[in-house]
């Protein structure tokens, strides 16, 4: 069950689908490359990773602008020449690097009028609909999981008893439904880093599969029922969990799209599948972080090697930008 969930986590696949061996090996390669025994949880939460990157960038002379959404990539003489912000301010640049998803970058920020029709068609056909939800709980205390010690609760916890369980969870998504018995990846970050909550309090974070981007009847109709289903599923393994809950948050793929501006709310930006991976990720004509528009580069999860907080896509893209600057 654990192997099956790792093979499909964050994908639009069930464990019996062709190609899931590849997605499993991808995940294992990422873990081995990190040099850890498993998924690492940084002190201070994932926001601490962003802060560390920001500090390194500022030290190198970068200026970071927050609350300054980009409205358009400016194009002149068939070359990206800067960006226009939603405030109306224009910023000129010789190189523009985007970690937005490929559809947002190429079809919205750049615009089809600046790209070849065949290339636009390939980008528009990318499969980008998310199938995983995020669920957060604020808790009055540390929940007890059957069979686990207090130390065990600081590890990565999976609810995926068997491959058949995961496959049945996936089946609902084929019909525009959420899973009645979802598969979950759960972490209790406060076990290892108490600073993430007030003294004696805890937080629980879970990736929940499956939650389709488009659901029959719309998410407003199903949100509360799905949240109850998730809590019921966890409580089967953590008796008394419901009595500890002080607040909850459910982020469906539509919420992820709205809040983080990711087309389809897909955390990998583009499905991890053989026809959208390796040398053809995200599409032929925009591989190796270079786009058909001179001066425009991609560095997000939609590039090789895909999603995950590993920094590989950004590092590889930076090398291409430097090489481009040298050629220019």
């Amino acid at each position: 069950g654990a192997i099956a969930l790792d093979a499909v986590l964050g994908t639009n696949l069930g464990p019996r689908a062709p190609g899931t061996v590849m997605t499993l090996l991808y995940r294992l390669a990422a873990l081995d490359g990190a040099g850890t025994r498993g998924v690492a949880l940084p002190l201070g939460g994932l926001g601490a990773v962003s802060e560390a990157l920001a500090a390194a960038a500022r030290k190198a002379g970068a200026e970071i602008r927050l609350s300054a959404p980009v409205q358009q990539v400016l194009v002149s003489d068939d070359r990206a020449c800067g960006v226009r912000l939603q405030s109306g301010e224009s910023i000129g640049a010789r190189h523009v690097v985007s970690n937005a998803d490929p559809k947002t970058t190429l079809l919205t920020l750049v615009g089809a009028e600046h790209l070849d029709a065949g290339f636009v068609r390939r980008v528009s056909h990318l499969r980008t609909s998310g199938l995983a939800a995020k669920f957060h709980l604020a808790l009055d205390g540390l929940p007890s999981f059957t069979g686990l010690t207090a130390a065990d609760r600081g590890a990565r916890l999976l609810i995926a008893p068997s491959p058949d369980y995961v496959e049945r969870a996936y089946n609902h998504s084929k019909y525009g439904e959420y899973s009645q018995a979802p598969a979950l990846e759960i972490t209790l970050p406060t076990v290892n880093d108490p600073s993430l909550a007030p003294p004696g309090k805890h937080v629980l974070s879970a990736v929940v599969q499956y939650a389709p981007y488009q659901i029959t009847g719309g998410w407003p109709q199903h949100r509360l029922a799905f949240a109850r289903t998730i809590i019921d599923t966890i409580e089967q393994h953590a008796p008394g969990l419901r009595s500890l809950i002080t607040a909850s948050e459910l982020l469906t793929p539509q919420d992820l799209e709205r809040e983080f501006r990711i087309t389809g709310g897909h955390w990998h930006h583009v499905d991890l599948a053989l026809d959208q991976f390796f040398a053809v990720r995200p599409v032929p004509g925009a591989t190796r972080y270079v786009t058909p528009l001179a001066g425009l580069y991609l560095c997000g999860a939609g590039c090789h090697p895909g999603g995950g907080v590993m920094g590989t896509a950004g590092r590889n893209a930076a090398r291409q930008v430097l090489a481009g600057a040298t050629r220019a």
Side-chain angles (χ1 to χ4, degrees), residues 150-228:
D152 290 335
R153 284 173 273 179
R156 175 175 175 250
L157 310 178
L158 303 182
I159 298 180
S162 69
D164 284 342
Y165 179 98
V166 180
E167 188 70 37
R168 286 193 296 270
Y170 171 65
N171 282 342
H172 290 276
S173 65
K174 302 174 186 177
Y175 309 104
E177 304 168 352
Y178 63 80
S179 300
Q180 295 295 322
L184 292 97
E185 177 192 55
I186 301 168
T187 56
L188 291 158
T190 40
V191 173
N192 298 308
D193 186 1
S195 69
L196 297 174
K201 311 297 183 181
H202 286 272
V203 294
L204 179 150
S205 179
V207 177
V208 187
Q209 290 199 186
Y210 292 81
Y213 176 77
Q214 295 286 1
I215 191 168
T216 303
W219 271 112
Q221 177 181 329
H222 297 287
R223 177 181 295 275
L224 289 178
F226 188 40
R228 285 195 295 267

Side-chain angles (χ1 to χ4, degrees), residues 26-115:
Y26 157 79
R27 182 173 181 84
L28 294 177
L31 293 179
D32 289 344
T36 65
R37 292 176 296 170
V39 177
L41 297 173
L43 291 177
L46 285 178
V49 178
S50 299
E51 290 298 330
L53 290 170
R58 291 190 180 102
K59 185 176 180 180
E63 177 187 350
I64 298 175
R65 298 276 298 273
L66 303 177
S67 300
V70 173
Q71 183 179 56
Q72 181 183 7
V73 173
L74 300 176
V75 179
S76 178
D77 296 327
D78 294 324
R79 181 182 179 89
C81 61
V83 296
R84 179 179 295 116
L85 306 183
Q86 286 185 3
S87 64
E89 178 186 358
S90 294
I91 302 173
R94 186 164 182 80
H95 304 280
V96 177
V97 188
S98 174
N99 78 329
D101 67 270
K103 283 187 175 179
T104 294
T105 300
L106 297 165
L107 303 184
T108 302
L109 298 181
V110 173
E113 64 272 21
H114 297 294
L115 301 167

Side-chain angles (χ1 to χ4, degrees), residues 2 13 29 36 59 69-70 112 119 140 152 187 193 218 232 242 259 264 272 309 320-321:
L13 301 169
T36 65
K59 185 176 180 180
V70 173
F119 177 76
D140 235 350
D152 290 335
T187 56
D193 186 1
D232 289 344
R242 185 173 264 101
E259 185 165 342
L272 295 177
V309 185
Q320 288 287 56
V321 173

Side-chain angles (χ1 to χ4, degrees), residues 288-303:
R288 299 179 63 83
Y289 318 97
V290 179
T291 72
L293 184 65
L296 177 66
Y297 300 83
L298 301 176
C299 70
C303 304

Side-chain angles (χ1 to χ4, degrees), residues 217-299:
W219 271 112
Q221 177 181 329
H222 297 287
R223 177 181 295 275
L224 289 178
F226 188 40
R228 285 195 295 267
T229 296
I230 298 169
I231 293 171
D232 289 344
T233 302
I234 301 174
E235 194 161 36
Q236 291 177 24
H237 305 272
L241 173 73
R242 185 173 264 101
S243 65
L244 298 175
I245 298 173
T246 59
S248 65
E249 178 186 50
L250 173 63
L251 296 173
T252 71
Q254 289 187 11
D255 297 320
L256 296 172
E257 178 181 64
R258 180 173 55 255
E259 185 165 342
F260 300 105
R261 305 178 190 184
I262 303 171
T263 302
H266 198 308
W267 65 1
H268 290 302
H269 290 186
V270 175
D271 251 0
L272 295 177
L274 285 171
D275 61 329
Q276 298 184 158
F277 207 61
F278 296 118
V280 292
R281 186 172 181 88
V283 293
T287 57
R288 299 179 63 83
Y289 318 97
V290 179
T291 72
L293 184 65
L296 177 66
Y297 300 83
L298 301 176
C299 70

